[in-house]
Amino acid sequence: MLSDELIIALIKCLKELRLPTVRACYEEEADRARKETLSYEYYLAEVMEREREVRRHNRIQRYLRESKLPLEKSLEVFEMSRLSSMLASQINVLIEGSFVERSENVLAFGNPGSGKTHLLCAIGQELILRGRRVLFTPCSLLVQQLLIAKRDLKLPRVLKRLSKYDAMIIDDIGYVQQNREE
């Protein structure tokens, strides 16, 4: 067993290093390691893996919140039967996300109510699950934000904030009539 002083020092160290999951599970994992006579390295790997997994989960939840995606528009509830087989295979390629690495734009065209927004939101959620940062915004709102930033001389700051996203889904870009400044 560890002495009280050692436990206090360990907890202080884990707080300072910002390892909350390790702090929460190290005793349980240490007991298991003793019972199963696991190596020090295996114990350490198990504890650190739990920390990594919790951080990954928290990061995904944070990315989903900040994306402003309508979470009810997921791939699970999208009717893939509405798509041709060729389009369905293209969706799988988009979900993979290689277009993001190549900085390629993806445009979705179709009649109103055909599921473009739903499908793009679903793809955005899948990209987030793969660790990408995505932002969903209506075109009109984005244009307003940029015009306000320009007026307030904060355009570089807003553009820098937008540049942190790996992908942006700009909804209804074709429905907005814009003047020259916009």
Side-chain angles (χ1 to χ4, degrees), residues 68 135-149 158 161-162 168 170-172 176 178 182:
K68 299 184 181 132
L135 176 67
F136 174 83
T137 182
C139 183
S140 57
L141 181 61
L142 179 63
V143 169
Q144 286 176 359
Q145 289 173 341
L146 292 173
L147 287 173
I148 290 168
V158 171
R161 182 175 48 83
L162 292 173
M168 289 179 58
I170 304 173
D171 196 29
D172 292 335
V176 180
Q178 284 138 3
E182 292 170 336

XYZ file of all heavy atoms in Angstrom, residues 68 135-149 158 161-162 168 170-172 176 178 182:
207
model
N -22.277 23.569 -34.266
C -23.618 24.102 -34.491
C -24.406 23.247 -35.484
O -25.344 23.720 -36.126
C -23.568 25.558 -34.922
C -22.919 26.452 -33.883
C -22.951 27.905 -34.274
C -22.271 28.706 -33.186
N -21.315 29.637 -33.685
N -17.739 23.349 -38.898
C -18.676 24.412 -38.546
C -19.827 24.387 -39.531
O -19.611 24.327 -40.747
C -17.996 25.781 -38.589
C -18.912 26.983 -38.337
C -19.424 26.969 -36.893
C -18.201 28.282 -38.646
N -21.043 24.429 -39.010
C -22.245 24.520 -39.834
C -22.822 25.913 -39.644
O -23.018 26.371 -38.522
C -23.273 23.469 -39.395
C -24.593 23.600 -40.103
C -24.769 23.045 -41.358
C -25.647 24.285 -39.527
C -25.976 23.166 -42.026
C -26.863 24.411 -40.179
C -27.034 23.850 -41.435
N -23.081 26.608 -40.750
C -23.656 27.937 -40.672
C -24.477 28.235 -41.919
O -24.071 27.872 -43.019
C -22.571 29.022 -40.472
O -23.192 30.297 -40.357
C -21.587 29.065 -41.620
N -25.613 28.900 -41.740
C -26.341 29.371 -42.919
C -25.542 30.481 -43.599
O -24.873 31.275 -42.915
C -27.652 29.919 -42.345
C -27.743 29.372 -40.956
C -26.341 29.110 -40.505
N -25.606 30.557 -44.897
C -24.838 31.552 -45.654
C -25.187 32.970 -45.203
O -24.297 33.799 -45.032
C -25.101 31.378 -47.147
S -24.149 32.503 -48.173
N -26.459 33.243 -45.017
C -26.879 34.598 -44.635
C -26.251 35.017 -43.311
O -25.813 36.167 -43.159
C -28.402 34.686 -44.556
O -28.901 33.735 -43.644
N -26.178 34.115 -42.341
C -25.580 34.428 -41.048
C -24.075 34.662 -41.177
O -23.528 35.603 -40.588
C -25.854 33.299 -40.048
C -25.315 33.494 -38.642
C -25.934 34.723 -37.983
C -25.585 32.260 -37.797
N -23.414 33.850 -41.969
C -21.975 34.015 -42.187
C -21.681 35.361 -42.832
O -20.768 36.078 -42.406
C -21.432 32.872 -43.046
C -19.948 32.924 -43.380
C -19.099 32.837 -42.112
C -19.576 31.808 -44.347
N -22.461 35.726 -43.854
C -22.261 37.013 -44.521
C -22.467 38.155 -43.536
O -21.672 39.104 -43.493
C -23.195 37.139 -45.750
C -23.201 38.555 -46.290
C -22.773 36.162 -46.832
N -23.502 38.062 -42.702
C -23.744 39.112 -41.702
C -22.579 39.227 -40.731
O -22.129 40.333 -40.420
C -25.022 38.812 -40.925
C -26.286 39.054 -41.681
C -27.523 38.640 -40.868
O -27.400 38.153 -39.750
N -28.686 38.835 -41.451
N -22.081 38.099 -40.252
C -20.961 38.117 -39.310
C -19.721 38.750 -39.944
O -19.018 39.526 -39.297
C -20.634 36.705 -38.840
C -21.653 36.117 -37.916
C -21.378 34.649 -37.601
O -20.652 33.969 -38.313
N -21.983 34.160 -36.529
N -19.465 38.409 -41.196
C -18.289 38.965 -41.871
C -18.448 40.468 -42.115
O -17.480 41.231 -41.977
C -18.034 38.215 -43.179
C -17.583 36.760 -43.014
C -17.536 36.062 -44.359
C -16.245 36.675 -42.304
N -19.644 40.909 -42.495
C -19.875 42.341 -42.712
C -19.732 43.132 -41.411
O -19.140 44.216 -41.393
C -21.260 42.577 -43.317
C -21.408 42.181 -44.789
C -22.859 42.299 -45.226
C -20.498 43.014 -45.670
N -20.260 42.591 -40.325
C -20.128 43.254 -39.020
C -18.658 43.317 -38.612
O -18.181 44.344 -38.136
C -20.979 42.533 -37.958
C -22.470 42.768 -38.242
C -20.613 42.997 -36.549
C -23.398 41.885 -37.428
N -17.935 42.230 -38.814
C -16.503 42.200 -38.480
C -15.736 43.210 -39.326
O -14.839 43.896 -38.822
C -15.953 40.797 -38.683
N -11.939 37.472 -37.053
C -13.012 36.534 -37.379
C -12.523 35.491 -38.380
O -12.814 34.301 -38.247
C -14.256 37.294 -37.914
C -15.291 36.330 -38.470
C -14.858 38.143 -36.810
N -10.488 32.966 -36.562
C -11.343 32.048 -35.810
C -11.958 31.008 -36.745
O -12.021 29.829 -36.422
C -12.440 32.826 -35.087
C -13.345 31.959 -34.247
C -14.357 32.755 -33.446
N -15.075 33.770 -34.178
C -16.163 33.539 -34.934
N -16.645 32.331 -35.041
N -16.753 34.520 -35.571
N -12.379 31.423 -37.916
C -12.964 30.490 -38.879
C -11.924 29.516 -39.436
O -12.259 28.392 -39.800
C -13.639 31.248 -40.026
C -14.898 32.038 -39.664
C -15.359 32.875 -40.852
C -15.997 31.117 -39.179
N -16.120 23.649 -43.350
C -17.284 24.483 -43.078
C -18.416 24.035 -43.983
O -18.210 23.843 -45.183
C -16.980 25.957 -43.332
C -16.047 26.575 -42.323
S -15.681 28.305 -42.659
C -17.297 29.038 -42.641
N -21.651 25.457 -45.402
C -22.376 26.711 -45.581
C -23.687 26.374 -46.264
O -23.710 25.983 -47.433
C -21.545 27.727 -46.402
C -20.188 27.944 -45.739
C -22.306 29.035 -46.534
C -19.217 28.783 -46.547
N -24.769 26.518 -45.524
C -26.086 26.090 -45.984
C -26.791 27.207 -46.754
O -26.669 28.383 -46.414
C -26.933 25.679 -44.781
C -28.147 24.862 -45.166
O -28.099 24.156 -46.190
O -29.145 24.930 -44.431
N -27.529 26.803 -47.767
C -28.365 27.707 -48.578
C -27.567 28.828 -49.237
O -28.020 29.965 -49.308
C -29.500 28.300 -47.732
C -30.511 27.251 -47.319
O -30.614 26.237 -48.031
O -31.184 27.448 -46.288
N -29.429 33.024 -51.354
C -29.233 34.359 -50.804
C -28.837 35.320 -51.925
O -27.874 35.065 -52.652
C -28.133 34.335 -49.707
C -27.911 35.716 -49.133
C -28.496 33.349 -48.622
N -27.115 38.645 -52.836
C -26.160 39.484 -52.170
C -25.845 40.694 -53.040
O -25.812 40.612 -54.267
C -24.872 38.710 -51.890
C -25.054 37.769 -50.735
C -24.423 36.418 -50.968
O -23.787 36.184 -51.977
N -24.632 35.528 -50.026
N -21.457 42.358 -50.124
C -21.577 41.034 -49.559
C -20.815 40.034 -50.404
O -20.234 39.091 -49.922
C -23.058 40.638 -49.451
C -23.804 41.465 -48.432
C -25.305 41.257 -48.478
O -25.835 40.858 -49.531
O -25.946 41.505 -47.470
